[in-house]
């Protein structure tokens, strides 16, 4: 349901791997641009929810400012939900909105929301809004977007500081060489910049930059 929700919000299916689509499970980090109702363009990171991929989930959540916590109405608050909330708290994510998905599978969505609220009120996200959503029917999508846009979130990072980009993935692509992906937590990158890769302390040069598949300088 999580990846279906991201696709309804952004138009992008973040499950690129055949294994992900056949199993209906997110394995790798997915990235998608999302234009909010007020015109701001933000980045959505689709992270794995399964405990076996907890390290990948934590890597993707690093630097995130808002978490959209996806809880299925027909399943409710699960043990992994508590773990996801705890991970976001440790990583310092201050803002949250709950997307209560699969509302078409329950007779009383308000009761399902009340049960989630009871658990949520015991966490650091007690004030988070709960938005009923049915992603395949696009029900609740506009309200969810409005709730996220209404959050008072500051600047993502200080651009005047030296650039710091934790690497989520690294691979080699023919014609390009080494490619890394990640979320820029501070500073700015420009084509031609010289960087240092830690912990190896190897020197690297930025040959090209892409943001959501679009070439930028």
């Amino acid at each position: 349901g999580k990846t279906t929700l991201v696709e309804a919000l952004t138009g992008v299916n973040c499950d690129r791997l055949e294994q992900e689509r056949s199993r209906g499970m997110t394995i790798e980090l997915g990235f998608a641009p999302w234009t909010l109702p007020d015109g701001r363009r933000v980045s959505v990171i689709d992270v794995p929810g399964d405990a076996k991929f907890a390290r990948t989930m934590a890597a993707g959540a690093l630097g995130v400012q808002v978490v959209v916590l996806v809880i299925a109405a027909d399943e409710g608050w699960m043990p992994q939900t508590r773990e996801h909330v705890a991970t976001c708290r440790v990583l310092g994510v201050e803002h949250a909105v709950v997307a209560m998905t699969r509302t078409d599978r329950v007779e009383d969505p308000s009761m399902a929301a009340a049960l989630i609220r009871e658990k949520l009120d015991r966490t650091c996200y007690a004030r988070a809004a709960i938005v009923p959503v049915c992603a395949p029917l696009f029900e609740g999508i506009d309200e969810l977007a409005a709730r996220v846009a209404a959050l008072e979130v500051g600047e993502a990072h200080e651009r005047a500081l030296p650039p710091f980009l934790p690497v989520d993935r690294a691979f080699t692509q023919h014609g390009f060489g080494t490619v890394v992906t990640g979320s820029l937590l501070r500073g700015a990158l420009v084509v031609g910049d010289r960087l240092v890769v830690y912990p190896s302390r190897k020197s690297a040069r930025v040959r090209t930059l892409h943001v959501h598949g679009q070439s930028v300088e």
Side-chain angles (χ1 to χ4, degrees):
K2 175 176 52 63
T3 300
T4 302
L5 174 62
V6 172
E7 186 171 11
L9 292 170
T10 67
V12 177
N13 187 330
C14 290
D15 281 351
R16 306 177 310 278
L17 305 179
E18 180 61 34
Q19 185 180 6
E20 290 179 313
R21 300 192 180 196
S22 62
R23 296 174 62 184
M25 175 187 292
T26 300
I27 299 173
E28 295 278 1
L29 297 175
F31 303 89
W34 183 21
T35 302
L36 297 177
D38 58 9
R40 281 180 296 166
R41 195 166 186 259
V42 299
S43 295
V44 175
I45 304 177
D46 185 14
V47 303
D50 193 279
K52 291 182 293 185
F53 306 109
R55 292 184 65 178
T56 302
M57 177 250 185
L62 188 65
V64 165
Q65 293 178 285
V66 176
V67 57
V68 178
L69 187 65
V70 181
I71 304 176
D74 57 337
E75 293 181 344
W77 192 277
M78 303 287 282
Q80 60 264 36
T81 309
R82 179 176 57 81
E83 295 168 359
H84 295 162
V85 168
T87 300
C88 290
R89 178 180 58 80
V90 169
L91 292 175
V93 184
E94 297 181 0
H95 305 280
V97 175
V98 176
M100 187 180 72
T101 59
R102 303 209 297 229
T103 54
D104 57 326
R105 301 191 184 187
V106 295
E107 294 184 1
D108 189 352
S110 61
M111 177 60 72
L115 294 173
I116 293 173
R117 172 61 68 190
E118 183 180 350
K119 296 286 189 180
L120 192 66
D121 282 349
R122 302 173 187 172
T123 74
C124 58
Y125 299 130
R127 297 183 179 180
I130 300 175
V131 182
V133 172
C134 180
L137 300 178
F138 289 90
E139 294 177 352
I141 296 299
D142 289 343
E143 183 183 352
L144 181 61
R147 290 284 188 172
V148 172
L151 294 172
E152 296 183 0
V153 180
E155 286 295 322
H157 57 267
E158 176 55 63
R159 295 184 179 275
L161 295 174
F164 175 48
L165 184 131
V167 175
D168 297 327
R169 291 187 298 138
F171 53 93
T172 302
Q173 187 169 343
H174 183 70
F176 288 90
T178 300
V179 178
V180 300
T181 70
S183 299
L184 188 63
L185 298 190
R186 75 175 189 214
L189 291 174
V190 179
V191 173
D193 279 353
R194 302 296 303 190
L195 305 175
V196 177
V197 182
Y198 285 90
S200 66
R201 295 181 180 270
K202 291 183 178 179
S203 177
R205 183 175 65 87
V206 179
R207 294 179 58 187
T208 58
L209 286 168
H210 283 80
V211 178
H212 296 301
Q214 299 296 317
S215 180
V216 297
E217 288 298 316

